Amino acid sequence: MEVLGLFNYWVFAALLMIGFYALIARQNLFKKLLGLSIFQSAVFLLYITMAKVDGGTAPIILDPDLVTIFSNPLPQVLILTAIVVSISTTALGLAIVVRIREAYDTIEDDEIRKLDRRS
Amino acid sequence: MLVIFSLFLLSMLVVTAIAIIRSEDLFSAVMLSGIFSLLMALNFFVLDAADVALTEAAVGAGISTVLLLGALALVPNRERNSRRKRYTFVYLTTLSAIVLAISYASFDQPRVGDPAAPVHQHVAPWYLEKTPELIDIPNVVTAVLASFRGFDTLGEVYVVLTAGIGVLFILGNSRTGVLPRRREPKLTSSLKNHLIPRVVGRMLIPFIILFGLYVQFHGEYGPGGGFQAGAIVAAGIILYALLEGEGAALRVLSPYVLVGLAVGGALLYLGVGIACMLLGGAFLDYSVLAADPVKGQQMGIIVIELGVGLAVTGTLLSIFHAFAARDQ
């Protein structure tokens, strides 16, 4: 049971590297962006994992006199805004991919490099 | 029981991530990434992060999937199958080694849920203790987001706005200007002829908008706030655009209105900060807004959450229309 308390960190490591694999090994720019968003999600998972307190509940104080254990609100705040920022950056990346497709008629990284070298 | 459930959810995350990377059909990869976000939202919920789970479900599983599909309509939807995969072995070995190294390092980490972990010792107890006294709203996440760390959130709103401006400038063209035109693009024409999505979808839209408003104005008491509400309202209007055609949606909310919402929301937030300075307080110190500091804090939080909601709705919808209006 004690070791299971670390399972979240292992999943974090695995997701991080799965996303990173797509970034470095795949040529398709769209796939690279999907990999990047998996990479970001892994970081979100790490932060939210750190915020958890055993026997705690979501940090919403309904009755100030009642002593309750709450999970840590601070990492949750950081990740809440980070999720919205991540969708905006993904959208910006997608816009650039769409323009690359129009300019080069391909979204494969190596073909784009080939075309660049030829011109 | 909960332990088994969370182990299952976490394992499913890894399986889905591998499926996303392996799939050569980009359409299925996008669908899988929607599932991935939903699983991630469930994980956040199990880890007591109700606000974050709501955001991930609305933004990750909802808006993100729609934007990815909008972009996919403009690029080839199959990944090229490259036979010669150079360095794959090197990549896999290196990355597996890093996974093992991080896992090995994790044995020095505090166990998940350990109340004695260093992260719970610093400022978090102060926030939990002082929120009822200084701000007196139940949701500590909203209190930290909008008041204690309001400056940080202001920055995030401007990052979102900047990304939206970037998308409009990249996808707009010189003939028609930066803002998308009103016309019927191909992305949306298909759903119009499908009876069931049309009937069910039309019935859902008012409820989605209503839920968005509830999340917006109930954010001080329960999970929710401007970021989530903005995404939910945007999702409702995107559903309308998919059902009735893009032109109809742009007639309801024209591109100028959307950009106005985005910029107006961001300026509203900044304006509250400046108003605080003019009233003699520090930037974004809402205590000076009313005679009673606690009432002032609550007033400030409600106004800036409204600004965040407007900015997020306007930006996300502008981005959606920019993709949908692009010629193939």
Side-chain angles (χ1 to χ4, degrees), chain B residues 127-172:
Chain B
Y127 287 141
L128 285 169
E129 191 186 323
K130 293 288 180 183
T131 297
E133 180 190 321
L134 293 178
I135 302 183
D136 197 24
I137 61 171
N139 192 344
V140 184
V141 174
T142 305
V144 178
L145 178 95
S147 180
F148 291 128
R149 296 184 65 89
F151 197 60
D152 191 0
T153 311
L154 178 72
E156 310 273 12
V157 169
Y158 277 83
V159 171
V160 172
L161 183 67
T162 312
I165 294 170
V167 170
L168 287 183
F169 271 103
I170 291 171
L171 290 183

Side-chain angles (χ1 to χ4, degrees), chain A residues 2 5-6 8 10 22 26 31 41 50 52 54 56 59 61 71-72 76 81 85 99 101-102 108 110-111, chain B residues 7 10 20-21 23 40 48 59 74 79-80 99 106 110-113 119-120 124 138 140 156 170 326:
Chain A
E2 189 72 342
L6 296 173
N8 285 46
W10 304 339
R26 288 306 182 118
K31 196 48 106 33
S41 296
M50 289 195 298
K52 169 79 179 161
D54 269 337
I61 305 173
S71 287
N72 194 337
Q76 300 189 5
T81 49
V85 170
R99 286 303 291 260
R101 156 80 209 287
E102 285 168 4
E108 305 286 339
D110 48 354
E111 289 173 15
Chain B
L7 289 184
L10 288 164
I20 292 172
I21 301 308
S23 151
M40 193 55 106
D48 292 342
V59 173
L74 303 170
E79 195 177 4
R80 188 203 47 196
V99 171
S106 78
R111 301 290 179 271
V112 175
V119 66
H120 303 309
V140 184
E156 310 273 12
I170 291 171
R326 188 82 189 160

Side-chain angles (χ1 to χ4, degrees), chain B residues 177-328:
Chain B
V178 172
L179 296 176
R181 289 156 293 159
R182 284 184 197 179
R183 46 178 212 90
E184 301 286 322
K186 67 282 144 201
L187 174 71
T188 54
S189 49
S190 54
L191 265 183
K192 264 190 138 172
N193 309 321
H194 289 67
L195 185 64
I196 292 174
R198 208 168 168 198
V199 172
V200 177
R202 288 188 77 147
M203 274 164 39
L204 279 177
I205 291 167
F207 292 107
I208 295 176
I209 307 273
L210 188 66
F211 181 61
L213 292 175
Y214 167 78
V215 168
Q216 169 80 49
F217 292 108
H218 202 256
E220 288 81 38
Y221 304 96
F227 284 105
Q228 296 94 325
I232 292 171
V233 171
I237 294 170
I238 287 174
L239 183 62
Y240 180 75
L242 293 175
L243 294 172
E244 302 293 328
E246 249 251 309
L250 282 178
R251 266 194 298 282
V252 178
L253 287 170
S254 79
Y256 298 100
V257 174
L258 292 176
V259 172
L261 281 179
V263 177
L267 286 180
L268 182 63
Y269 198 153
L270 190 68
V272 171
I274 292 171
C276 291
M277 284 170 82
L278 292 179
L279 289 169
F283 185 65
L284 289 172
D285 174 16
Y286 315 129
S287 302
V288 293
L289 288 177
D292 179 13
V294 175
K295 283 278 173 298
Q297 287 284 345
Q298 293 172 349
M299 215 162 86
I301 288 175
I302 289 172
V303 176
I304 69 113
E305 286 276 12
L306 185 66
V308 171
L310 294 177
V312 170
T313 311
T315 309
L316 290 178
L317 283 175
S318 300
I319 292 174
F320 167 74
H321 285 305
F323 277 108
R326 188 82 189 160
D327 292 318
Q328 186 143 20

Side-chain angles (χ1 to χ4, degrees), chain A:
Chain A
M1 271 325 270
E2 189 72 342
V3 176
L4 286 183
L6 296 173
F7 193 72
N8 285 46
Y9 296 117
W10 304 339
V11 170
F12 154 72
L15 288 180
L16 202 67
M17 287 306 129
I18 291 168
F20 196 48
Y21 174 78
L23 268 175
I24 59 176
R26 288 306 182 118
Q27 297 295 334
N28 190 296
L29 295 177
F30 197 87
K31 196 48 106 33
K32 278 180 196 279
L33 277 176
L34 286 178
L36 190 65
S37 67
I38 293 175
F39 193 95
Q40 286 175 321
S41 296
V43 178
F44 300 161
L45 184 65
L46 176 71
Y47 270 69
I48 299 299
T49 298
M50 289 195 298
K52 169 79 179 161
V53 177
D54 269 337
T57 177
I60 296 170
I61 305 173
L62 295 172
D63 183 0
D65 302 325
L66 211 67
V67 178
T68 324
I69 304 171
F70 293 111
S71 287
N72 194 337
L74 189 58
Q76 300 189 5
V77 172
L78 299 179
I79 294 314
L80 200 162
T81 49
I83 289 174
V84 182
V85 170
S86 88
I87 174 73
S88 312
T89 49
T90 305
L92 196 60
L94 287 172
I96 295 171
V97 170
V98 166
R99 286 303 291 260
I100 287 176
R101 156 80 209 287
E102 285 168 4
Y104 290 88
D105 205 34
T106 175
I107 55 167
E108 305 286 339
D109 196 24
D110 48 354
E111 289 173 15
I112 294 167
R113 275 161 203 263
K114 217 179 285 168
L115 287 170
D116 266 350
R117 237 175 279 134
R118 206 178 299 157
S119 62

